[in-house]
Amino acid sequence: MPPKPKKFYGVRVGIEPGVYESWEECQKVIAVSGAVHKSFLSRDEAAAWVNGAPAAPGKITRFYAVARGHKPGVYTDWDSAQMQTTGFTRPVFRKFDTRAEAEDYLGAYPAGSNQAPSAKSQPTRKRGLEIDEEEEEVVLSRKKSKAPSTDGKITMVYTDGAAPGNGKAGACGGVGVWFGADDPRNVSERLAGPLQTNQRAELTAILRALQLVDLDSPIEIRTDSQYSIDCVTKWYVSWVKKGWKTAGGTPVKNADLVKAIRDLMEDREAKGTITILTKVVGHSGDYGNDQADRLAVLGAQLPALDEKGLGE
C-alpha cells in the first residue's frame, strides 16, 4: 500500500493562524469557537489560503463586515464573523457580495475605535451602503470600548443547569461548571434561593463561570441553553429600555441573574476582553457538556441553600 500523501494544515482563524505539518499541532490552535482551517497537499497552497487566497472554484464567497465587535474587520465566513459579535453589546455587522463593498462599509467607522461613524464618512445612498435606521440607533447609543486582545489564549468552559421536578413543588436545582478534568475551578453546587428552576440553574452556571475567570482573561462559555444566551446577548436590550418589564408589563423573570451576568460582561468588555457564548447541543455526546451536566445533577442532590448561599 503506497504511503499517504503528507498534508499541510492551514489555519486562517484560530489561536495562532499559520501553516502546520501535523493534525495534532493544528488541533491545539483551533480549539476556539469560529476557527477556520483546511488541509492541503502542499505548504505553498496552505500558506496562500491562510493569506487570503480565493475560495475553491464554484464556491460562492460572502463578505461579512463587522463594524462593531470584538475585532472589527472583514470576514469571509459567518462562523468567524459570529465569533466577533457573540457576547459583544449591540454589535453592528452586515453581509456583502464583494470585499470592496464590505471595506467601504467599514470605512464609515473610525479605525479600531468601535465608535459610531462620523457624519463626513457615512456611506451614501447612491452606493447602496447606507446604514439602516435600526443599525444607526445601535451604533449611536453604544458607549466606547477598547479593542480586545486575546494574546492567543481563550479559556473554554462548559456550563449547565439541572432541576429535577422543574416547575413542580419540591424541585431541586443544581449548577455545573466544567473547565476540564480535575480543574479546581469546576463547580457542582445546589442552586441557591427558593426558586428552583432549570432556567435559573442555567443562568447561575454562566454567572459562576464568569466569576471564576479574571476580567482580563478571554473566555468562551459553552452552554446548551439558548434561553440563557438570548437573555444576556439580545433580550436584555429591550428589557433595559422598558425598566426590566416584558412587553406585557410584567417583571422579567430571572432579572437578578441576567443583570449580574451583564454587569460582568460589560466590565470585561470595558477592559477589551472577549466573552463568547456558544450554543451546544445537549445530550449529544459532547464530552464537555456531558461533564457539566453531570456536575449540575450532582449539585441538585446537595442540601438546599438560601439566597445568600448558606445552608438551611
Side-chain angles (χ1 to χ4, degrees):
M1 181 180 294
K4 292 182 179 180
K6 181 176 177 58
K7 288 186 177 181
F8 297 87
Y9 300 88
V11 177
R12 184 176 279 180
V13 179
I15 295 174
E16 187 174 347
V19 178
Y20 297 85
E21 295 190 3
S22 73
W23 174 237
E24 289 73 19
E25 291 178 314
C26 179
Q27 282 182 306
K28 294 177 182 179
V29 298
I30 61 174
V32 293
S33 178
V36 180
H37 58 95
K38 190 175 182 181
S39 64
F40 297 86
L41 296 179
S42 78
R43 175 179 287 278
D44 289 344
E45 286 180 310
W49 181 80
V50 169
N51 292 324
K59 182 178 179 180
I60 299 175
T61 301
R62 294 287 184 263
F63 298 88
Y64 300 90
V66 178
R68 294 175 58 76
H70 298 300
K71 186 177 181 181
V74 177
Y75 298 85
T76 56
D77 65 283
W78 170 237
D79 285 344
S80 298
Q82 188 178 41
M83 181 179 176
Q84 307 308 323
T85 59
T86 300
F88 190 91
T89 305
R90 310 186 81 177
V92 177
F93 53 95
R94 183 176 288 180
K95 179 176 70 176
F96 294 92
D97 291 329
T98 68
R99 180 178 290 276
E101 289 178 308
E103 290 178 346
D104 278 345
Y105 177 75
L106 291 184
Y109 294 79
S113 70
N114 273 323
Q115 297 178 20
S118 62
K120 293 182 180 180
S121 61
Q122 287 192 21
T124 61
R125 286 183 180 274
K126 68 179 182 178
R127 300 188 69 181
L129 298 174
E130 185 182 16
I131 301 171
D132 59 37
E133 293 180 1
E134 182 179 356
E135 274 187 341
E136 193 156 44
E137 178 185 353
V138 169
V139 297
L140 293 178
S141 64
R142 179 74 180 101
K143 63 185 179 182
K144 297 179 181 179
S145 64
K146 296 188 296 181
S149 172
T150 67
D151 294 328
K153 298 179 180 179
I154 297 180
T155 298
M156 185 183 301
V157 55
Y158 286 83
T159 65
D160 204 358
N166 185 46
K168 300 178 181 179
C172 300
V175 175
V177 181
W178 191 77
F179 285 87
D182 300 319
D183 193 302
R185 295 170 295 179
N186 291 347
V187 172
S188 178
E189 61 189 26
R190 179 69 182 269
L191 176 65
L195 295 177
Q196 299 285 300
T197 68
N198 188 68
Q199 290 180 343
R200 288 191 67 79
E202 296 277 11
L203 286 167
T204 299
I206 291 174
L207 177 60
R208 295 289 285 116
L210 289 170
Q211 291 171 337
L212 290 165
V213 176
D214 293 339
L215 288 177
D216 56 0
S217 295
I219 184 174
E220 178 186 356
I221 299 174
R222 296 191 168 189
T223 171
D224 58 19
S225 173
Q226 188 64 54
Y227 162 81
S228 297
I229 294 175
D230 288 342
C231 278
V232 301
T233 63
K234 297 179 182 178
W235 299 338
Y236 82 92
V237 177
S238 175
W239 293 337
V240 169
K241 291 180 179 179
K242 293 181 173 67
W244 291 92
K245 296 291 182 62
T246 67
T250 59
V252 172
K253 291 182 179 180
N254 307 317
D256 57 329
L257 293 173
V258 176
K259 290 177 183 179
I261 292 171
R262 282 304 316 169
D263 285 346
L264 281 175
M265 290 178 67
E266 289 176 12
D267 286 346
R268 293 168 59 78
E269 188 176 313
K271 285 181 169 289
T273 310
I274 289 178
T275 305
I276 302 170
L277 285 97
T278 301
K279 173 68 168 64
V280 298
V281 179
H283 308 290
S284 63
D286 184 313
Y287 185 74
N289 177 254
D290 288 346
Q291 293 304 308
D293 175 70
R294 178 181 63 83
L295 293 173
V297 171
L298 290 174
Q301 299 171 14
L302 297 174
L305 301 173
D306 62 20
E307 291 183 351
K308 295 181 180 180
L310 301 176
E312 296 182 346

